């Protein structure tokens, strides 16, 4: 392996993309667990969100003990609170949407989030959004629309809940990216887990609180573990590279979730799925190679 290849593999572009892809794998498994809880076991979505993030907090206690109170030390508490509020309402919209629509359809809709992130990164973070980034994001969105087919009879208003979650999560991601300029990934993750639990408890209590038993309890424990892992990987991705760059790699969650939905629930999207997935994968690979190439190019 030559020096140029080694440099590409070590570039922040590749590292950021890698963390985003790994987060996508964790969240794909998490979505299957969440939909199984709601559609198969009939567990209330609001209570699912509470127990999911509550267990994630418990599983993160070793990290809290290791870091001590220093993990919560911040000069930007308002930004943390705003970020977590957006994330909490995004989670509620997401788990409610998963209770009514197939995974692949929900994922296709939530992939509108790059538009919110790209525009927000330009307006609020001052990041440069060049032609390659816009092209990759637009291509990924076109691929999602080809898969979604919103003009079909299967499209319902309930499917718009993932769009709402995309908007809320987009705002949360932008604040997270801003915080990573000043705070460690551990601090950003811990604040999310600590604040989400009481917020989700209030929302769950308002809609009828449910206590898990049997298989629901074990699935929620698994969901908590996957949530903690996925959120930390997501924070590392935004810490490694620009939000506008790493976001298109989030599109890779589409084929991952489609495969998981087919494997577990037998969901069978139309043949247009593969054309859309090809556009998404191609756009993400193109962007990664372009960004990594810029980093290793010799400077004049």
């Amino acid at each position: 392996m030559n020096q140029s290849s080694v440099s590409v593999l070590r570039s922040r572009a590749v590292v950021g993309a890698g963390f985003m892809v790994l987060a996508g794998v964790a969240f794909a498994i998490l979505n299957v667990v969440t939909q199984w809880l709601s559609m198969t076991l009939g567990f209330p979505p609001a209570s699912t969100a509470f127990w999911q993030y509550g267990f994630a907090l418990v599983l993160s206690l070793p990290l809290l003990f290791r870091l001590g109170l220093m993990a919560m030390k911040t000069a930007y508490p308002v930004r943390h609170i705003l970020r977590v509020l957006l994330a909490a309402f995004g989670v509620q919209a997401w788990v409610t949407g998963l209770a009514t629509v197939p995974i692949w359809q929900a994922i296709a809709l939530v992939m509108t989030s790059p538009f919110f992130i790209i525009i927000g990164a330009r307006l609020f973070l001052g990041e440069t959004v060049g032609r390659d980034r816009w092209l990759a994001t637009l291509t990924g969105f076109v691929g999602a629309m080809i898969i979604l087919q919103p003009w079909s009879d299967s499209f319902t208003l309930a499917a718009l809940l993932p769009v709402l979650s995309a908007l809320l999560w987009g705002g949360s991601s932008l604040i997270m990216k801003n915080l990573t300029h000043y705070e460690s990934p551990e601090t950003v993750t811990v604040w999310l887990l600590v604040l989400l639990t009481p917020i989700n408890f209030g929302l769950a209590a308002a809609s009828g609180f449910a206590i898990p038993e049997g298989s629901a309890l074990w699935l929620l424990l698994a969901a908590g573990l996957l949530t903690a892992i996925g959120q930390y990987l997501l924070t590392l991705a935004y810490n490694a590279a620009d939000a506008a760059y790493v976001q298109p790699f989030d599109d890779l969650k589409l084929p991952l979730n489609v495969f998981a939905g087919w494997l577990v629930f037998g969901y069978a999207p139309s043949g247009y799925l593969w054309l859309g997935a090809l556009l998404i994968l191609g756009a993400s690979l193109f962007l990664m190679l372009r960004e990594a190439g810029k980093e290793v190019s010799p400077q004049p």
Side-chain angles (χ1 to χ4, degrees):
M1 184 179 291
N2 58 38
Q3 183 177 358
S4 178
S5 299
V6 173
S7 298
V8 169
L9 290 176
R10 292 179 178 176
S11 74
R12 295 182 66 83
V14 173
V15 170
F19 282 133
M20 183 63 82
V21 172
L22 289 175
V25 173
F27 286 127
I29 301 173
L30 173 61
N31 289 333
V32 168
V33 172
T34 302
Q35 191 157 83
W36 186 272
L37 282 162
S38 59
M39 284 190 167
T40 304
L41 301 182
F43 202 78
S47 293
T48 295
F50 165 73
W51 289 108
Q52 172 187 333
Y53 281 90
F55 285 139
L57 174 60
V58 172
L59 293 169
S60 300
L61 287 178
L63 175 64
L64 287 173
F65 287 134
R66 179 172 63 85
L67 297 176
L69 293 178
M70 292 300 295
M72 297 293 294
K73 185 178 181 181
T74 179
Y76 309 96
V78 175
R79 297 184 196 181
H80 281 287
I81 293 171
L82 179 58
R83 179 219 168 190
V84 175
L85 282 172
L86 292 172
F89 285 108
V91 168
Q92 294 293 329
W94 177 247
V95 295
T96 304
L98 279 181
T100 55
V101 299
I103 290 177
W104 69 271
Q105 188 178 29
I107 290 296
L109 280 170
V110 85
M111 284 171 61
T112 55
S113 60
F115 277 108
F116 304 126
I117 297 223
I118 289 287
I119 294 173
R122 179 66 184 90
L123 294 177
F124 301 111
L125 301 185
E127 293 184 3
T128 300
V129 182
R131 181 187 60 185
D132 292 344
R133 291 175 174 178
W134 278 117
L135 179 61
T137 301
L138 290 172
T139 302
F141 182 77
V142 169
M145 291 301 100
I146 291 175
I147 295 170
L148 175 61
Q149 299 183 55
W151 53 85
S152 69
D153 294 336
S154 62
F155 183 82
T156 63
L157 289 177
L160 294 178
L161 284 170
V163 177
L164 176 60
S165 68
L167 173 61
L168 294 169
W169 282 340
S172 178
S173 294
L174 287 170
I175 297 175
M176 183 201 329
K177 175 58 181 175
N178 176 262
L179 285 169
T180 58
H181 287 300
Y182 314 103
E183 317 249 278
S184 69
E186 290 81 6
T187 297
V188 175
T189 302
V190 167
W191 268 87
L192 176 74
L193 295 176
V194 169
L195 292 181
L196 266 182
T197 299
I199 294 173
N200 283 334
F201 175 77
L203 294 172
S207 61
F209 191 75
I211 299 177
E213 298 178 348
S215 58
L217 176 60
W218 290 108
L219 287 173
L220 284 166
L221 280 169
L225 177 61
L226 290 165
T227 299
I229 294 173
Q231 287 293 340
Y232 188 60
L233 289 169
L234 196 62
T235 303
L236 290 175
Y238 283 114
N239 187 55
D242 286 352
Y245 161 66
V246 298
Q247 186 58 37
F249 290 93
D250 194 38
D251 294 343
L252 293 172
K253 67 190 174 189
L254 178 59
L256 292 172
N257 280 271
V258 168
F259 176 73
W262 170 78
L263 190 65
V264 177
F265 299 103
Y267 294 143
S270 68
Y272 289 107
L273 161 70
W274 309 115
L275 174 59
L278 181 63
L279 289 173
I280 293 167
L281 291 169
S284 296
L285 181 60
F286 164 77
L287 186 58
M288 184 188 74
L289 293 176
R290 291 282 292 183
E291 295 283 334
K294 291 177 182 177
E295 290 186 11
V296 300
S297 296
Q299 299 298 318

